Amino acid sequence: MRIAIVGPGAIGSTVAAHLIQSGHQPLLCARTAFDRLLVQTPKGQIDATPVVLTDPAKADPVDWVLVATKAYEVEGTARWLQRLVGPETRVAVLQNGVEHVARFMPFLPADRIVPVVVEIPAERSAPGVIVQRRDGWMKAPAGVNGEAFAALFASSGVDVATAEDWASVAWRKLALNCAGAVNALTGLPAGIAAKPEIAELMRGLVAECLAVGRAEGAILEDELPDQVVAQYQASPADSVNSLLADRLAGRRMEWDARNGVIARLGSAHGIDTPLNQMAAILLSAME
Ligand SMILES: NC(=O)c1ccc[n+]([C@@H]2O[C@H](COP(=O)([O-])OP(=O)(O)OC[C@H]3O[C@@H](n4cnc5c(N)ncnc54)[C@H](OP(=O)(O)O)[C@@H]3O)[C@@H](O)[C@H]2O)c1
């Protein structure tokens, strides 16, 4: 099985390390070169020297491409897809948000794109050097492609399953992520959710996500806004979500995949989403 991973950052490298440990030899398609992969997982360190390419022109078609770039990195990712995708290639998109398929439909048929919800807390300190904080999971939609994706990880340290109602899994994750805009906007970690007025603002962001998600066909509980706030309040007060981490590090932020999408799809359904719209506008202005 020929597997290529485009974007070997925190998630791409962690997934690569687990695939290597279970006997695969993924090709890493990187922007920044590195020689050695060093991933500290909850079950020990994985140290490997996979093949790393930085020039798409040197890549050939593979069976599977796993895309683990940030959601806004479509153009750069597409340059790899032009070389890696053949007539049988399937592309799994390991990114946040709910637009995994739409994002890559211009580059290959939708029925060969496998959207994946990723719940693996991982941080990168240098190219190829990653800490995976806890055991993680990934979910792909039920069906032939989803099952084939899960099979790649059959004897690996990552729990990969399929979900009949994948859209609801993705929207539930988006609900958690959209509320995190409050942290990036204030520059403050999770503890800020203890303030009643901040908790109310987070509930409002999630309520908009809930309404748009339902209009898109997701099955979401009325309690979702309270659940999300409770989750932030139960996190260590100093924990930093990736949107805030990106802002603090001066990197681009996934505001469109986390808040902009709710405003865009909301508008298509005639649903007002003023809070997510404002969050997306302010976060984009900060860049
Ligand atoms: N990290 C987590 O805990 C976590 C958890 C769940 C979901 N996610 C989602 O997973 C996705 C990936 O996040 P991440 O945290 O892994 O981000 P990341 O650490 O920034 O990794 C992204 C990688 O993509 C590379 N890249 C950018 N443009 C490229 C190009 N044209 N060709 C090849 N590689 C390119 C970057 O290269 P450079 O080395 O040059 O920067 C970087 O290595 C995001 O959608 C994120 O929201 C992350």
Side-chain angles (χ1 to χ4, degrees), residues 7 9-11 29 31-32 68 73 80 96 118 120 122 124 173 254:
I11 292 302
C29 302
R31 181 169 61 184
T32 306
E73 215 69 71
W80 286 102
N96 268 335
V118 182
I120 303 174
R124 179 172 63 145
K173 170 114 202 245
E254 287 185 309

Side-chain angles (χ1 to χ4, degrees), residues 67 69-74 77 81 91-108 110 113-118 141 166-174 177 209 212-213 216 254-269 280:
V67 172
T69 48
K70 295 276 198 178
Y72 49 73
E73 215 69 71
V74 176
T77 305
L81 295 183
V91 174
V93 182
L94 283 57
Q95 292 178 333
N96 268 335
V98 291
E99 297 176 302
H100 306 60
V101 177
R103 218 171 275 142
F104 292 100
M105 259 168 42
F107 312 109
L108 77 159
I113 305 173
V114 185
V116 180
V117 174
V118 182
W166 184 86
S168 301
V169 178
W171 276 91
R172 220 165 273 130
K173 170 114 202 245
L174 184 62
N177 280 342
C209 179
V212 178
E216 287 280 305
E254 287 185 309
W255 51 266
D256 186 59
R258 297 168 67 125
N259 298 99
V261 61
I262 296 170
R264 273 185 287 109
L265 296 178
S267 152
H269 289 287

Side-chain angles (χ1 to χ4, degrees), residues 39-54:
V39 179
Q40 189 64 50
T41 80
K43 295 186 180 70
Q45 185 164 284
I46 303 175
D47 187 345
T49 49
V51 176
V52 180
L53 291 186
T54 53

Side-chain angles (χ1 to χ4, degrees), residues 60-284:
D60 293 314
V62 293
D63 299 303
W64 276 96
V65 180
L66 275 46
V67 172
T69 48
K70 295 276 198 178
Y72 49 73
E73 215 69 71
V74 176
E75 259 184 55
T77 305
R79 280 196 284 279
W80 286 102
L81 295 183
Q82 278 158 13
R83 299 289 307 185
L84 292 165
V85 173
E88 305 291 330
T89 308
R90 285 178 279 194
V91 174
V93 182
L94 283 57
Q95 292 178 333
N96 268 335
V98 291
E99 297 176 302
H100 306 60
V101 177
R103 218 171 275 142
F104 292 100
M105 259 168 42
F107 312 109
L108 77 159
D111 63 3
R112 288 198 273 131
I113 305 173
V114 185
V116 180
V117 174
V118 182
E119 188 55 53
I120 303 174
E123 285 155 35
R124 179 172 63 145
S125 55
V129 184
I130 320 292
V131 175
Q132 180 190 343
R133 297 263 168 231
R134 292 185 303 280
D135 283 333
W137 55 260
M138 294 194 280
K139 279 205 170 64
V144 177
N145 286 342
E147 305 295 343
F149 174 74
L152 298 176
F153 293 88
S155 49
S156 78
V158 191
D159 174 17
V160 185
T162 58
E164 289 294 337
D165 185 11
W166 184 86
S168 301
V169 178
W171 276 91
R172 220 165 273 130
K173 170 114 202 245
L174 184 62
L176 188 68
N177 280 342
C178 77
V182 167
N183 304 98
L185 285 166
T186 57
L188 295 168
I192 197 174
K195 282 182 172 288
E197 62 276 23
I198 293 285
E200 200 47 36
L201 191 50
M202 287 176 138
R203 274 189 207 96
L205 285 158
V206 178
E208 291 177 4
C209 179
L210 177 77
V212 178
R214 281 178 173 164
E216 287 280 305
I219 298 163
L220 303 169
E221 313 76 47
D222 290 342
E223 297 76 23
L224 194 56
D226 288 333
Q227 289 168 0
V228 166
V229 169
Q231 199 166 332
Y232 275 94
Q233 289 175 341
S235 323
D238 59 354
S239 63
V240 168
N241 66 36
S242 67
L243 201 67
L244 173 55
D246 285 342
R247 183 193 159 188
L248 295 175
R251 295 186 292 255
R252 275 185 77 180
M253 292 179 277
E254 287 185 309
W255 51 266
D256 186 59
R258 297 168 67 125
N259 298 99
V261 61
I262 296 170
R264 273 185 287 109
L265 296 178
S267 152
H269 289 287
I271 298 169
D272 283 340
T273 57
L275 295 177
N276 280 282
Q277 196 169 9
M278 184 173 75
I281 291 169
L282 292 177
L283 290 168
S284 71

